Amino acid sequence: MNTEKDVRIPVTIITGFLGAGKTTLLNHILNEDHGHKMAVIVNEFGEVGIDNELIVKSDEEIIEMNNGCICCTVRSDLVDIMENLLHRKFVSSPERIHYDWVVVETTGLADPAPVIQTFLAEPLISQFFRVDAVITVADAKHAEYHLDHSRETKGQVAFADVILLNKTDLVTREDLARLESRLKNINSHARLLYTQYSVIDLNEILGIYTFDMDHKLEVDPHFMDHHHHHHHEDDVFSIVLTESRPLDLEKVNKFINTWLVEHATDTYRYKGILNVQRTNKRVVFQGVHMMFGVDAEREWNAGEDRTSRIVIIGKNLDEDWFRSQFSECAVV
């Protein structure tokens, strides 16, 4: 393709398993001076999303999709959003927005194939948008586990144009070399880059014109078939915990310790914003399996809803146990 004559709006698709660092990469992109005006679509698994509250505040257009997985149940919603974005770019009205780039962050459980297909098979969308690159973020610490247990992870690696091997500071050189070999066996086409905290020179991932249809067809000869559907493993689901009362930090710590000792393996990803007693700051809590972090973030705004919320994605989890344990963390 003669890229100099392709005036369509570029699209960067960010994929990768739960907790790999996709939202961190998105925040890095939004914080950098890349010279573009972006429209950002964020998809979350489960009815209640929390990523939109963890995305840095910017002038970009942020669109959240949290009523299903972008690659299956809400693929039609993605088509509607893209058509609406197209309309709002050219319409002469107060709802008009100016953008020259689109970034799509998929849920960690997404098969990227149907998402990519949306930008190729829908005539109106393919006329005005082009996929610049599929960026797959891989968590160096947990990638091998997910490659062994999740077909979604293998698909995300296989369809990548660029693989960001993130959290490389958490593994040994031997572990890293073994993982590199596995990734290259799955996808020798993709460029492999190494990151910590998803920090990367944006010239390495934006405007790189690396999307290769021939490679996608090698991965899946039926890639462009309209009946291409994706079904998640039935035992993977999300739990949303909420508590309107302030939380006792000591009780929260006890709950987390018990949770991770007993359920860490089956807990793929968790994120939360907590209202903790005796501090006026939002406490952000998130992690992957046994690894988690807690950060006292910005102060609560006046009149802001201070309901504590945690979204947990995993399998074989006792929802009633999680609800009762979280409820007991409230200040009586």
Side-chain angles (χ1 to χ4, degrees), residues 22-32 54-56:
K22 299 183 300 297
T23 301
T24 305
L25 175 62
L26 177 58
N27 280 336
H28 174 58
I29 293 172
L30 296 179
N31 272 319
E32 290 295 295
L54 300 178
I55 296 173
V56 296

Side-chain angles (χ1 to χ4, degrees), residues 296-310:
E297 203 198 31
R298 64 167 174 83
E299 292 193 355
W300 293 96
N301 296 322
E304 184 175 2
D305 179 13
R306 297 195 179 196
T307 299
S308 297
R309 283 172 295 143
I310 298 177

Side-chain angles (χ1 to χ4, degrees), residues 59-258:
D59 294 329
E60 314 294 358
E61 181 77 6
I62 309 292
I63 302 165
E64 185 185 19
M65 301 173 66
N66 59 9
N67 58 333
C69 179
I70 200 172
C71 69
C72 42
T73 58
V74 297
R75 184 181 160 194
S76 61
D77 290 355
L78 176 59
V79 174
D80 291 342
I81 285 175
M82 295 309 301
E83 291 180 349
N84 182 259
L85 277 177
L86 192 59
H87 170 76
R88 292 176 65 188
K89 183 174 178 66
F90 296 109
V91 71
S92 297
S93 75
E95 69 173 10
R96 181 175 183 178
I97 59 174
H98 299 278
Y99 63 92
D100 58 17
W101 208 286
V102 175
V103 177
V104 180
E105 180 198 343
T106 73
T107 170
L109 296 175
D111 175 359
V115 182
I116 300 167
Q117 187 191 70
T118 301
F119 291 95
L120 303 177
E122 300 294 331
L124 183 62
I125 296 176
S126 64
Q127 181 180 352
F128 290 93
F129 299 93
R130 66 167 179 85
V131 179
D132 183 66
V134 178
I135 311 297
T136 295
V137 186
D139 173 357
K141 180 69 174 178
H142 300 103
E144 289 203 272
Y145 173 85
H146 292 305
L147 286 170
D148 289 338
H149 294 88
S150 166
R151 63 178 181 269
E152 285 88 2
T153 303
K154 294 176 182 176
Q156 292 159 0
V157 171
F159 278 97
D161 298 304
V162 175
I163 299 173
L164 295 190
L165 195 48
N166 193 34
K167 306 182 185 180
T168 54
D169 55 319
L170 301 180
V171 295
T172 66
R173 289 184 179 181
E174 291 76 12
D175 290 339
L176 192 59
R178 186 175 63 252
L179 177 57
E180 289 170 351
S181 178
R182 290 193 65 176
L183 295 175
K184 289 176 180 177
N185 283 336
I186 297 172
N187 184 348
S188 61
H189 165 88
R191 186 180 181 191
L192 195 59
L193 302 175
Y194 306 87
T195 61
Q196 297 175 20
Y197 303 101
S198 296
V199 175
I200 190 74
D201 182 345
L202 297 190
N203 291 321
E204 303 273 13
I205 60 173
L206 298 180
I208 55 179
Y209 292 92
T210 56
F211 180 79
D212 185 343
M213 173 63 96
D214 291 338
H215 171 252
K216 305 305 183 258
L217 291 172
E218 288 176 9
V219 174
D220 181 2
H222 304 289
F223 172 61
M224 289 302 294
D225 292 353
H226 284 281
H227 63 267
H228 195 308
H229 294 293
H230 171 235
H231 301 283
H232 299 297
E233 298 176 36
D234 292 337
D235 55 354
V236 177
F237 66 101
S238 65
I239 300 172
V240 180
L241 307 177
T242 62
E243 178 55 63
S244 59
R245 297 169 293 177
L247 302 178
D248 183 308
L249 185 57
E250 185 175 337
K251 292 180 179 179
V252 170
N253 286 332
K254 182 178 179 181
F255 164 53
I256 293 172
N257 288 335
T258 303

